[in-house]
């Protein structure tokens, strides 16, 4: 009897009840991708035609979209498996960022507002920059603005390699991001600079400092690597991971889960460069996961490679590739395992800007002797409550099991 939580990062299914407060009324990541595919607007060399994700549809994704928006997106209609449980959930946490979404999935909604950097250039306080340089020995920083990560590396990467000054930037999220070349600057040196920055931004209530290493020799071939690392603040309460760890359960975290939870209760971590590699890690970990164990995985490509870059065709292709591997996942399940596939927020590639979108998320479940709809859930913490009940873990009162 084990539990698995798989987070399809940013795969939202329609604006939440409060989406208008975030400028996201009408956002719908899955729905808008499916509509674009249906009219041929997402055809390219990687994929063509209507969105083809039959295994996620069989788990209830189309019906979860119906619950969230009142409609089933094009090509997502079809029968739901007799052992599938499906629903949708609206976020309670303030914000639409990665830590808030994951922490709430794990049973700890975020009741406070994060700190953000202003949309000015420069955007970082002078004393923060001075202290960062003084404590790390770097001569200065470049960037110091709101930017797309790939764009600013292309723009400033060569200058960075000549000067040795790291590229520092932020976004609409509560983040301080530092990009540096893995070879000319050094990966471990980048991590050490980020560790200092993490301490310095704590008084500003910044959620994450993110190391963004890249390789290449010029703007035409710079590429971010899979050695990204997030320096997050710890969750403000006990998560399902903490409760499982306290009870001595076997825990495996996949991808950036350990960073998101500040390495607290995350057990053995496995990383991979991209969704397919992360899927391989997940399958291997399932084979090793002990009875009573918990696996928590994040699949990052949807968000980082396609959502933020507003690449509709790429996002559609990523969904289809993930779907093709779902049968491998289901074949690894034992009879009494609980599988939950969900998301942490949206990142509608048809939306303006490059930010996340405030959306409802799907809850797709496979568990023995259960089937049907669980309706619209008020908060993501019902996921943690359900996992706790399945694993017979003593937990707090946040969330209602479904």
């Amino acid at each position: 009897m084990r539990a698995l939580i798989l987070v399809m990062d940013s795969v939202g299914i329609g604006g939440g009840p409060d989406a208008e407060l975030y400028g996201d009324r009408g956002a719908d990541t899955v729905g808008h991708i499916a509509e674009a595919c249906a009219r041929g607007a997402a055809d390219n060399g990687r994929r063509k035609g209507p969105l083809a994700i039959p295994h996620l549809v069989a788990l209830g994704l189309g019906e979860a979209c119906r619950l969230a928006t009142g409609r089933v997106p094009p090509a997502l209609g079809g029968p739901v498996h007799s052992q599938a449980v499906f629903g949708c959930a609206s976020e309670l946490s303030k914000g639409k960022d990665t830590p808030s979404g994951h922490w709430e999935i794990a049973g700890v909604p975020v009741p406070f507002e994060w700190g953000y950097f202003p949309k000015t250039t420069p955007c970082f306080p002078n004393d923060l920059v001075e202290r960062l340089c003084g404590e790390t020995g770097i001569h200065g920083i470049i960037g110091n603005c709101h930017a797309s990560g790939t764009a600013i590396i292309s723009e400033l990467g060569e200058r960075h390699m000549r000067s040795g000054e790291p590229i520092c930037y932020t976004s609409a999220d509560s983040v301080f991001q530092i990009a540096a070349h893995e070879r000319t600057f050094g990966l471990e040196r980048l991590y050490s600079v980020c560790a200092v920055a993490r301490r310095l931004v704590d008084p500003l209530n910044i959620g994450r400092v993110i190391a963004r290493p890249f390789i290449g020799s010029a703007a035409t071939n710079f590429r971010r690597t899979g050695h990204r690392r997030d320096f997050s603040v710890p969750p403000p309460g006990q998560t399902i991971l903490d409760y499982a760890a306290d009870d001595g359960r076997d825990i495996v975290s996949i991808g950036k889960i350990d960073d998101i939870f500040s390495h607290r209760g995350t057990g053995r971590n496995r990383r991979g460069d991209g969704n397919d590699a992360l899927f391989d890690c997940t399958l291997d970990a399932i084979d090793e996961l002990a009875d009573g164990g918990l696996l928590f995985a994040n699949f990052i490509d949807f968000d980082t490679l396609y959502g933020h870059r507003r690449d509709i065709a790429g996002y559609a292709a990523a969904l289809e590739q993930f779907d093709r591997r779902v049968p491998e996942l289901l074949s690894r399940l034992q009879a009494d395992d609980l599988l939950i596939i969900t998301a942490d927020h949206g990142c509608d590639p048809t939306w303006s800007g490059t930010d996340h979108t405030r959306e409802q998320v799907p809850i797709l479940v496979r568990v023995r002797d259960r089937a049907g709809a669980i309706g619209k859930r008020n908060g993501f913490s019902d996921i943690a409550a359900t996992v706790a009940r399945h694993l017979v873990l003593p937990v707090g009162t946040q969330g209602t099991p479904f």
Side-chain angles (χ1 to χ4, degrees):
M1 183 173 66
R2 307 173 302 176
L4 297 79
I5 305 172
L6 274 57
V7 179
M8 301 186 296
D9 202 306
S10 87
V11 182
I13 56 172
D18 56 359
E20 190 166 6
L21 297 176
Y22 297 82
D24 294 329
R25 182 179 181 183
D28 184 356
T29 298
V30 170
H32 287 159
I33 292 171
E35 289 168 0
C37 291
R39 64 176 184 269
D43 291 356
N44 64 12
R46 289 172 289 181
R47 53 119 18 238
K48 187 175 182 180
L51 187 62
I53 48 175
H55 302 108
L56 290 171
V57 168
L59 288 174
L61 180 59
E63 293 303 315
C65 292
R66 188 199 302 274
L67 285 169
T69 66
R71 70 186 189 283
V72 176
L76 300 195
V80 176
H81 196 281
S82 61
Q83 295 181 38
V85 176
F86 61 88
C88 64
S90 300
E91 188 171 4
L92 298 179
S93 299
K94 299 179 184 296
K96 48 182 178 178
D97 54 273
T98 293
S100 297
H102 281 78
W103 294 351
E104 188 166 325
I105 289 169
V108 181
V110 178
F112 55 80
E113 295 281 359
W114 292 106
Y116 300 92
F117 294 110
K119 291 185 177 180
T120 59
T121 303
C123 64
F124 302 127
N126 288 335
D127 63 330
L128 171 61
V129 175
E130 290 172 1
R131 290 185 64 191
L132 181 65
C133 293
E135 294 190 28
T136 62
I138 58 177
H139 299 300
I141 67 169
I142 54 178
N144 203 343
C145 61
H146 281 244
S148 157
T150 52
I152 201 168
I153 289 171
S154 177
E155 176 187 352
L156 298 178
E158 293 179 21
R159 177 180 166 187
H160 154 73
M161 292 174 70
R162 291 192 303 268
S163 69
E165 298 170 324
I167 305 167
C168 298
Y169 62 103
T170 188
S171 71
D173 285 348
S174 180
V175 292
F176 187 99
Q177 305 194 70
I178 307 178
H181 198 280
E182 281 197 5
R183 294 174 188 145
T184 63
F185 190 85
L187 186 60
E188 292 304 320
R189 185 184 179 200
L190 172 60
Y191 291 159
S192 67
V193 171
C194 287
V196 173
R198 171 68 272 167
R199 173 170 49 80
L200 296 179
V201 300
D202 279 347
L204 303 176
N205 199 29
I206 301 300
R208 287 178 293 165
V209 172
I210 305 179
R212 293 286 196 177
F214 66 96
I215 57 174
S217 58
T220 54
N221 61 19
F222 286 141
R223 179 179 64 84
R224 294 197 298 198
T225 74
H227 297 139
R228 162 184 169 159
R229 184 172 171 189
D230 293 32
F231 295 75
S232 301
V233 295
Q238 289 283 98
T239 72
I240 189 69
L241 289 165
D242 294 317
Y243 289 115
D246 290 346
D247 205 52
R249 303 302 180 91
D250 188 26
I251 301 171
V252 180
S253 55
I254 307 293
K256 65 178 184 177
I257 292 295
D258 62 339
D259 285 349
I260 294 170
F261 288 88
S262 197
H263 305 268
R264 201 178 78 193
T266 51
R268 306 187 308 279
N269 177 252
R270 295 192 172 199
R271 288 182 178 263
D273 190 359
N275 278 359
D276 263 339
L278 292 167
F279 216 113
D280 290 339
C281 291
T282 299
L283 297 179
D284 290 342
I286 291 172
D287 291 341
E288 301 170 3
L289 190 65
D291 185 53
L294 172 61
L295 181 148
F296 203 154
N298 172 278
F299 293 86
I300 191 173
D301 285 0
F302 304 112
D303 184 59
T304 301
L305 297 185
Y306 309 115
H308 286 299
R309 299 183 190 182
R310 299 306 189 235
D311 181 352
I312 301 171
Y315 207 131
L319 284 169
E320 290 169 338
Q321 176 59 17
F322 184 91
D323 186 83
R324 281 190 283 270
R325 303 204 64 180
V326 167
E328 297 178 68
L329 172 67
L330 298 179
S331 71
R332 295 296 214 284
L333 299 181
Q334 298 174 4
D336 54 359
D337 285 345
L338 168 69
L339 166 68
I340 300 177
I341 301 177
T342 187
D344 54 340
H345 49 69
C347 198
D348 188 340
T350 72
W351 213 240
S352 60
T354 60
D355 191 16
H356 294 150
T357 42
R358 179 76 165 185
E359 294 186 48
Q360 298 170 78
V361 302
I363 301 176
L364 311 178
V365 185
R366 277 294 297 271
V367 66
R368 185 174 60 185
D369 301 328
R370 295 288 186 275
I374 56 172
K376 302 181 71 166
R377 315 300 295 193
N378 186 29
F380 301 170
S381 293
D382 290 2
I383 293 171
T386 301
V387 168
R389 172 175 285 183
H390 180 77
L391 295 180
V392 195
L393 283 172
V395 301
T397 58
Q398 194 67 248
T400 302
F402 47 73

